[in-house]
Amino acid sequence: MHSSKSFLEYDRQLWVLFAGRVIAAIGFSIVMPFLSIFLYTEMGVPMTVVGIVFLGNAVAGAVGQVIGGELADRLGRRPIMCISMVMRTAVFLLLSVAIAGMVDLWIIAILLMATSLTGSLFEPATNALVADLVSPGRRLEAYSILRVGQNVGWALGPLLGGLLAVISYASLFLFTALTSMIVAIITYTWISDSSRAITESDKLDASDLKKVWKNRIFIAICLATIPLFIVLGQMTSTLALFSKDIVGISVAEVGYLYTLNGIIVIFLQLPMARYVNKFRMTHVLVVGGILYAIGYFIIGWASSLWILVASMIIISMGENIISSPSINLVANISSEHDRGRYMGVAGIFQTFGWSIGPLVGGILYDSLIDKPVILWSSIATVSLISVFGFTWISKIIPREIDVVDDS
């Protein structure tokens, strides 16, 4: 276990990034849980169409990741981070005006895609900067610190968003514009660039990428994670709307649910990750998938806030269990020189699951809204696909890949 002194040994810029991650996550989580509620209840958009809007956002975000990573190498980390947040500020201001004026859906959808595109430019530059600042042996811990910062933001954002939504939905986007500008100022003031020139070894070779796709066990793992991320995608879409529209809780109480999720992740993620490291990772992912299934199945029986609270606790525990092994498994199956490439390919599958999650949930919501038990049982069943997938993988994967390296 690291002492507090060891945390202080990190470069000061890592803690600047941590503060920026908290503020950015507050802004993002103020908007996301309530976006589907606004589109469905205020604009009358069918949930299937809401799912398509979320899919468009995810596609724009994936494009932004690719562009941001390339520009971060060519122009530097700090310039791209600043440009990203300044552009996102402008787009969120436009969104605030558009939503206040209740403009056409297609305009709002385009602006939402622009926020996803501009925001995604920030992530690869940030991750690259951490790799520049931190020695290889401590990078995993450094990235974990940033993830805790993100969850601090997710604990605070929905709580504040639930209160602002009572005033107006436009105020959510106005506040997010403010947080984006604060992050831009922090980055410009306290971050110094550390980028390096591109070398021939940094350039992607198509043959290297083919080797990744030919790794059958790795691709099986990636395919098995898709259903988990489809289910996870319900968190900011179908679950939020169902909680308000069907269960009948207030928008503020929806915010409390997401705050509860953030609190559980913040305080229990590291202890749970240490505990599950004792077991084979595929077995842990099976347990996590079962917890997801149980948590989402319970939602179908929800008639009050407290049943939703019980469901959120179970779902959050599943999230804590899944997060660490899913990363370690990819790290173990790859070698040091191609680990980033493997992580990137795994990210494509995860993004795909997250992207189609709201669409799958939207179709089920529109079709089964009068049958909530069947609706959420169907979503829970999607998680069970991953359970069966990882159960099968556990029988074919070499044990040395499936266990945590304690050395």
Side-chain angles (χ1 to χ4, degrees), residues 217 221 273-285 324-334 339 393-394 396-407:
I217 293 179
I221 291 170
R274 293 191 189 104
Y275 177 74
V276 300
N277 279 348
K278 304 174 184 178
F279 307 98
R280 293 186 61 168
M281 287 179 282
T282 51
H283 295 170
V284 173
L285 289 167
S324 178
S326 61
I327 297 173
N328 281 338
L329 205 53
V330 177
N332 280 7
I333 208 169
S334 59
R339 189 155 293 149
I393 292 171
S394 69
I396 64 171
I397 190 172
R399 181 178 176 82
E400 61 270 19
I401 293 176
D402 201 22
V403 296
V404 176
D405 184 3
D406 293 324
S407 58

Side-chain angles (χ1 to χ4, degrees), residues 150-167:
Q150 182 170 329
N151 282 293
V152 169
W154 266 95
L156 298 174
L159 183 63
L160 181 57
L163 299 176
L164 289 174
V166 175
I167 301 173

Side-chain angles (χ1 to χ4, degrees), residues 158-278:
L159 183 63
L160 181 57
L163 299 176
L164 289 174
V166 175
I167 301 173
S168 73
Y169 284 99
S171 67
L172 301 177
F173 295 89
L174 186 61
F175 192 91
T176 302
L178 176 62
T179 60
S180 299
M181 180 52 67
I182 292 174
V183 174
I185 293 172
I186 289 174
T187 301
Y188 181 80
T189 305
W190 285 297
I191 294 294
S192 59
D193 213 342
S194 59
S195 61
R196 56 183 177 78
I198 295 179
T199 65
E200 287 300 317
S201 61
D202 291 325
K203 296 180 180 179
L204 179 63
D205 190 313
S207 63
D208 291 332
L209 193 56
K210 288 180 181 179
K211 293 177 183 176
V212 176
W213 289 93
K214 289 181 178 179
N215 189 323
R216 296 175 61 185
I217 293 179
F218 170 69
I219 296 301
I221 291 170
C222 291
L223 290 172
T225 61
I226 291 177
L228 288 178
F229 278 85
I230 290 176
V231 173
L232 185 61
Q234 311 309 312
M235 282 279 285
T236 55
S237 56
T238 317
L239 175 58
L241 179 60
F242 181 85
S243 299
K244 178 184 180 297
D245 209 40
I246 304 302
V247 180
I249 67 174
S250 68
V251 173
E253 288 170 328
V254 172
Y256 300 156
L257 283 176
Y258 289 99
T259 296
L260 174 63
N261 170 257
I263 291 173
I264 292 173
V265 172
I266 290 168
F267 289 103
L268 295 182
Q269 178 180 332
L270 289 177
M272 291 182 68
R274 293 191 189 104
Y275 177 74
V276 300
N277 279 348
K278 304 174 184 178

Side-chain angles (χ1 to χ4, degrees), residues 96-119:
S96 179
V97 174
I99 286 176
M102 294 292 285
V103 300
D104 290 342
L105 174 63
W106 68 270
I107 296 177
I108 292 177
I110 290 174
L111 289 174
L112 287 171
M113 290 178 66
T115 65
S116 184
L117 176 66
T118 55

